[in-house]
Amino acid sequence: MRPLELRASAPGLPEDLWTLREDPLTPVRVAVLDSGIDATHPWLAGRVEEAWATEDDEGSCSVVQRDPSAHNDVFGHGTAVGSIIAGIAPNARLIDVRVLESGSTGSGTALVAGLEYAVRRGFPVVNMSLAATAKFAALLHRLVRQAYRQGQVVTAAKRNMPLVDNGYPAEFSDTVSVDSLDTDRLAHVLYRPGEPIEFAAQGEEVRVAAAGGGYTIRTGTSLATPVVSGVVALLLGANPTLRPFEIKTLLKMYS
Amino acid sequence: MNDDEAAAAALLGIDAGSPEVTVLRLLIRLAAQGVGAREGSYFAFDADAGDLVVAMTTADAEIARSLVGRRVPLGDGVTGLAAATREVQIGAPRYHFETDEGLRPPPEGQSLIAAPVLWKDELLGVLTAVSFDAERRFTREHGDLYASAATVAALVLRQRQRIRDLEQALRRDLTKRGLDATSGDAARVARSVGRLSRQVRLPELASLLETLESIAEGPVGE
């Protein structure tokens, strides 16, 4: 697998994606469906615009509002993911949507409820560094298809564990599916033609914010996915009218 | 069998001294060696308490005695995160910021792999490996190896549970028919079924069960 060479950029966009960060960019809301975000962390302070959490309500899931300036992370995973997006895209406004609960083993029902909320609200970018099993495939497919038609970009992590599938919703072409890559170039996105998981980004030994303060080092597709979300936020910040298929084309070009 | 082995078997929910305990211990050791880790462990998931408990470890005996039985909440650290997300997690402990001087370079520290042991949608536990070597950081390839080891661990644990469930079901059935399921022929039949279930698939065992049952009922009728 070799990275494609940089090609000439589309009219109106710079050749080097990284230089986008120096331009005035439109703020872009990025929903992070995860374990919550520690908004008190120095790397994330002031970057979380809204905070929500799914709650089990007699067999169904409701979405309740939380304090966006508080430590809302139950596991540390969402803080790590959010810190990557915030680090790459200075224009990203994080929407914390907690779909993992302390003491639980990650309900697919909560993930579906969180995605349903993000799609209903129309957040331009939805980061899903989590993968659900095939049991939830039909529900997730309906939602990501709706998101695509509404012009939302859903980035989805490939499952780290080699099971019978790559995880859902990463399996769906309506998403920007992401695998992990070992590279020293942060924000480098690799396009993989013909592969079910179309893109790959840095996901090995990534330095991320640790919930509660400090930092830690993590490896996995969970960390590669927010790299792509951050890049997408930069692209949308430069041109908010871009549609999902155009975003994919640009990612391929910049690969 | 020593106290540690008995404790491990109790935590695993499988019979102490069963071949599966030995296989699991070997698997943990091989997986740890395969990634060059210093230690490997298996955390059993305690569904009632909602946390993970160290059931088995390759650490030396003195450390093992303090580790076995230790509990980790779901979501806590890399191990708890693997259980909560049902995904392989590779990470390190938290490093703290230097005050006013930016980030402190990572000290010599640990790298950790945690792979959830899943049977279909059911979480059985987490398989872990830890390195204390600053030069030894685990990669995605190491994570893949651990994910495969976790799959094998699930098969081993689930098989033991299925055999036990089958033996218990047979004992209940024999008892209901007025046979003493704890001694004599009935007990031998129950044990035979357990051994046989390792060798044959359950649908083929059905007719064999009928034959064994008639053998067990024979002495009572006389």
Side-chain angles (χ1 to χ4, degrees), chain A residues 127-166:
Chain A
N127 185 99
M128 296 183 70
S129 287
L130 300 167
T133 61
K135 183 177 160 186
F136 298 95
L139 283 169
L140 289 170
H141 197 190
R142 176 178 63 78
L143 288 167
V144 299
R145 196 164 45 212
Q146 182 183 346
Y148 185 89
R149 289 173 181 162
Q150 289 177 178
Q152 296 169 272
V153 177
V154 177
T155 59
K158 172 182 175 284
R159 187 186 292 285
N160 282 322
M161 288 184 67
L163 294 182
V164 294
D165 56 59
N166 288 304

Coordinates of all heavy atoms in Angstrom, one line a residue, chain A residues 127-166:
Chain A
N127 N -18.3 11.9 14.3 CA -17.2 11.0 14.5 C -17.7 9.7 15.3 O -18.2 9.9 16.4 CB -16.1 11.7 15.3 CG -14.8 10.8 15.4 OD1 -13.9 10.9 14.6 ND2 -14.8 9.9 16.4
M128 N -17.5 8.5 14.7 CA -17.8 7.3 15.5 C -16.6 6.4 15.6 O -16.3 5.6 14.7 CB -19.0 6.6 14.7 CG -20.3 7.4 14.7 SD -21.6 6.6 13.9 CE -22.0 5.3 15.1
S129 N -15.9 6.6 16.6 CA -14.7 5.7 16.9 C -15.1 4.5 17.6 O -14.3 3.9 18.4 CB -13.7 6.5 17.7 OG -13.0 7.5 16.9
L130 N -16.3 4.0 17.3 CA -16.9 2.8 17.9 C -17.5 2.0 16.8 O -18.0 2.5 15.9 CB -18.0 3.2 19.0 CG -17.5 4.1 20.1 CD1 -18.8 4.6 20.9 CD2 -16.6 3.3 21.1
A131 N -17.5 0.7 17.0 CA -18.1 -0.2 16.0 C -19.1 -1.1 16.7 O -18.9 -1.6 17.8 CB -17.0 -1.1 15.4
A132 N -20.3 -1.2 16.1 CA -21.3 -2.1 16.6 C -21.3 -3.4 15.8 O -20.7 -3.5 14.8 CB -22.7 -1.4 16.5
T133 N -22.0 -4.4 16.4 CA -22.1 -5.7 15.8 C -23.2 -5.7 14.7 O -24.0 -4.7 14.6 CB -22.4 -6.8 16.8 OG1 -23.7 -6.5 17.4 CG2 -21.4 -6.8 17.9
A134 N -23.2 -6.8 13.9 CA -24.2 -6.9 12.8 C -25.6 -6.8 13.3 O -26.5 -6.5 12.5 CB -23.9 -8.2 12.1
K135 N -25.9 -7.1 14.5 CA -27.2 -7.0 15.1 C -27.8 -5.6 14.9 O -29.0 -5.5 14.8 CB -27.1 -7.3 16.6 CG -28.4 -7.4 17.4 CD -28.0 -7.8 18.8 CE -29.2 -7.4 19.8 NZ -28.8 -7.6 21.2
F136 N -27.0 -4.6 14.9 CA -27.5 -3.2 14.7 C -27.3 -2.7 13.3 O -27.5 -1.5 13.1 CB -26.8 -2.3 15.8 CG -27.1 -2.7 17.2 CD1 -26.2 -3.6 17.9 CD2 -28.2 -2.3 17.8 CE1 -26.5 -4.0 19.2 CE2 -28.5 -2.7 19.1 CZ -27.6 -3.5 19.8
A137 N -26.9 -3.5 12.4 CA -26.5 -3.1 11.1 C -27.7 -2.3 10.4 O -27.5 -1.3 9.8 CB -26.0 -4.2 10.2
A138 N -28.9 -2.9 10.4 CA -30.0 -2.4 9.7 C -30.3 -1.0 10.2 O -30.5 0.0 9.4 CB -31.2 -3.3 9.7
L139 N -30.4 -0.8 11.5 CA -30.7 0.5 12.1 C -29.6 1.5 11.8 O -30.0 2.6 11.4 CB -30.8 0.3 13.6 CG -32.0 -0.3 14.2 CD1 -31.8 -0.6 15.7 CD2 -33.3 0.6 14.0
L140 N -28.4 1.1 11.9 CA -27.3 2.1 11.6 C -27.3 2.4 10.1 O -27.0 3.6 9.8 CB -26.0 1.4 12.1 CG -25.8 1.3 13.6 CD1 -24.5 0.5 13.9 CD2 -25.6 2.7 14.2
H141 N -27.6 1.5 9.3 CA -27.5 1.8 7.9 C -28.6 2.8 7.5 O -28.3 3.7 6.7 CB -27.7 0.5 7.0 CG -27.3 0.6 5.6 ND1 -27.6 -0.3 4.6 CD2 -26.6 1.6 5.0 CE1 -27.1 0.1 3.5 NE2 -26.5 1.2 3.7
R142 N -29.7 2.7 8.0 CA -30.8 3.6 7.8 C -30.4 5.0 8.2 O -30.6 6.0 7.5 CB -32.1 3.2 8.5 CG -33.2 4.2 8.4 CD -34.5 3.7 9.1 NE -34.3 3.5 10.5 CZ -34.4 4.5 11.4 NH1 -34.5 5.7 11.0 NH2 -34.2 4.2 12.7
L143 N -29.7 5.1 9.3 CA -29.3 6.4 9.9 C -28.2 7.0 9.1 O -28.2 8.2 8.8 CB -28.9 6.3 11.3 CG -30.1 6.0 12.3 CD1 -29.6 5.6 13.7 CD2 -31.0 7.3 12.4
V144 N -27.2 6.2 8.7 CA -26.0 6.9 8.0 C -26.5 7.2 6.6 O -26.0 8.2 6.0 CB -24.8 6.0 8.0 CG1 -24.3 5.7 9.4 CG2 -25.0 4.6 7.2
R145 N -27.4 6.5 6.0 CA -27.9 6.8 4.7 C -28.7 8.2 4.8 O -28.5 9.0 3.9 CB -28.9 5.7 4.2 CG -29.1 5.8 2.7 CD -29.7 4.5 2.2 NE -30.8 4.0 3.1 CZ -31.1 2.7 3.3 NH1 -30.4 1.8 2.7 NH2 -32.0 2.4 4.1
Q146 N -29.4 8.3 5.8 CA -30.2 9.6 6.0 C -29.2 10.7 6.2 O -29.3 11.8 5.7 CB -31.1 9.5 7.2 CG -31.9 10.8 7.5 CD -32.8 10.6 8.7 OE1 -33.0 9.5 9.3 NE2 -33.3 11.7 9.2
A147 N -28.1 10.5 7.0 CA -27.1 11.5 7.2 C -26.5 11.9 5.9 O -26.3 13.1 5.6 CB -26.0 11.0 8.2
Y148 N -26.1 10.9 5.1 CA -25.5 11.2 3.8 C -26.4 12.1 2.9 O -25.9 13.1 2.3 CB -25.2 9.9 3.1 CG -24.5 10.0 1.8 CD1 -23.1 10.0 1.8 CD2 -25.1 10.1 0.6 CE1 -22.4 10.1 0.6 CE2 -24.4 10.2 -0.6 CZ -23.0 10.2 -0.6 OH -22.4 10.3 -1.8
R149 N -27.7 11.7 2.9 CA -28.6 12.5 2.1 C -28.8 13.9 2.6 O -29.1 14.9 1.8 CB -29.9 11.8 2.0 CG -29.9 10.6 1.1 CD -31.2 9.8 1.2 NE -31.1 8.6 0.4 CZ -31.9 7.5 0.5 NH1 -32.9 7.6 1.4 NH2 -31.7 6.5 -0.2
Q150 N -28.6 14.1 3.9 CA -28.7 15.4 4.5 C -27.4 16.2 4.4 O -27.4 17.4 4.8 CB -29.0 15.3 6.0 CG -30.5 14.8 6.2 CD -30.8 14.6 7.7 OE1 -31.9 14.3 8.0 NE2 -29.8 14.8 8.6
G151 N -26.4 15.6 3.8 CA -25.1 16.3 3.6 C -24.2 16.2 4.8 O -23.2 16.9 4.9
Q152 N -24.5 15.3 5.8 CA -23.6 15.1 6.9 C -22.5 14.1 6.6 O -22.8 13.1 5.9 CB -24.4 14.6 8.1 CG -25.4 15.6 8.6 CD -26.4 14.9 9.6 OE1 -27.4 14.3 9.2 NE2 -26.0 15.0 10.9
V153 N -21.3 14.3 7.1 CA -20.2 13.3 6.9 C -20.1 12.5 8.2 O -19.8 13.1 9.3 CB -18.9 14.1 6.6 CG1 -17.7 13.1 6.5 CG2 -19.0 14.9 5.4
V154 N -20.2 11.2 8.1 CA -20.1 10.3 9.2 C -18.8 9.6 9.0 O -18.6 8.8 8.1 CB -21.2 9.3 9.3 CG1 -21.0 8.3 10.5 CG2 -22.6 10.0 9.5
T155 N -17.8 9.8 10.0 CA -16.6 9.0 9.9 C -16.7 7.9 10.9 O -17.2 8.0 12.0 CB -15.4 9.9 10.3 OG1 -15.6 10.4 11.6 CG2 -15.2 11.1 9.4
A156 N -16.3 6.7 10.4 CA -16.5 5.5 11.2 C -15.3 4.6 11.3 O -14.6 4.4 10.3 CB -17.7 4.7 10.6
A157 N -14.9 4.1 12.5 CA -13.7 3.3 12.7 C -14.0 1.9 12.3 O -15.0 1.3 12.6 CB -13.3 3.4 14.2
K158 N -13.0 1.3 11.6 CA -12.9 -0.1 11.4 C -12.7 -0.8 12.7 O -12.0 -0.3 13.6 CB -11.8 -0.4 10.4 CG -11.5 -1.9 10.2 CD -10.3 -2.1 9.3 CE -10.0 -3.6 9.2 NZ -9.3 -4.1 10.3
R159 N -13.3 -2.0 12.9 CA -13.1 -2.7 14.1 C -11.7 -3.1 14.3 O -11.0 -3.5 13.3 CB -14.0 -4.0 14.1 CG -14.0 -4.8 15.3 CD -14.8 -6.1 15.1 NE -16.2 -5.8 14.8 CZ -17.1 -5.5 15.8 NH1 -16.6 -5.4 17.0 NH2 -18.3 -5.3 15.5
N160 N -11.1 -2.9 15.5 CA -9.7 -3.4 15.7 C -9.6 -4.9 15.7 O -8.6 -5.4 15.2 CB -9.2 -2.9 17.1 CG -8.9 -1.4 17.1 OD1 -8.3 -0.9 16.1 ND2 -9.2 -0.7 18.2
M161 N -10.6 -5.5 16.2 CA -10.6 -7.0 16.3 C -11.0 -7.6 15.0 O -12.0 -7.3 14.4 CB -11.5 -7.5 17.4 CG -11.1 -7.2 18.8 SD -12.1 -7.9 20.0 CE -11.9 -9.7 19.8
P162 N -10.2 -8.6 14.5 CA -10.5 -9.2 13.2 C -11.7 -10.2 13.4 O -11.5 -11.4 13.6 CB -9.2 -10.0 12.9 CG -8.6 -10.2 14.2 CD -9.0 -9.1 15.1
L163 N -12.9 -9.7 13.3 CA -14.1 -10.6 13.4 C -14.6 -10.8 12.0 O -13.9 -10.6 11.0 CB -15.2 -9.9 14.3 CG -14.9 -9.8 15.7 CD1 -16.0 -9.1 16.5 CD2 -14.5 -11.1 16.4
V164 N -15.8 -11.3 11.9 CA -16.4 -11.6 10.5 C -16.7 -10.4 9.7 O -17.0 -10.5 8.5 CB -17.6 -12.5 10.7 CG1 -17.3 -13.9 11.2 CG2 -18.7 -11.8 11.5
D165 N -16.7 -9.2 10.3 CA -17.0 -8.0 9.6 C -16.1 -6.9 10.1 O -15.4 -7.1 11.1 CB -18.5 -7.6 9.7 CG -18.9 -7.4 11.1 OD1 -18.3 -6.6 11.8 OD2 -19.8 -8.1 11.6
N166 N -16.1 -5.8 9.4 CA -15.2 -4.6 9.8 C -15.9 -3.7 10.8 O -15.3 -2.7 11.2 CB -14.9 -3.8 8.6 CG -13.9 -4.5 7.6 OD1 -12.9 -4.9 8.1 ND2 -14.3 -4.7 6.4

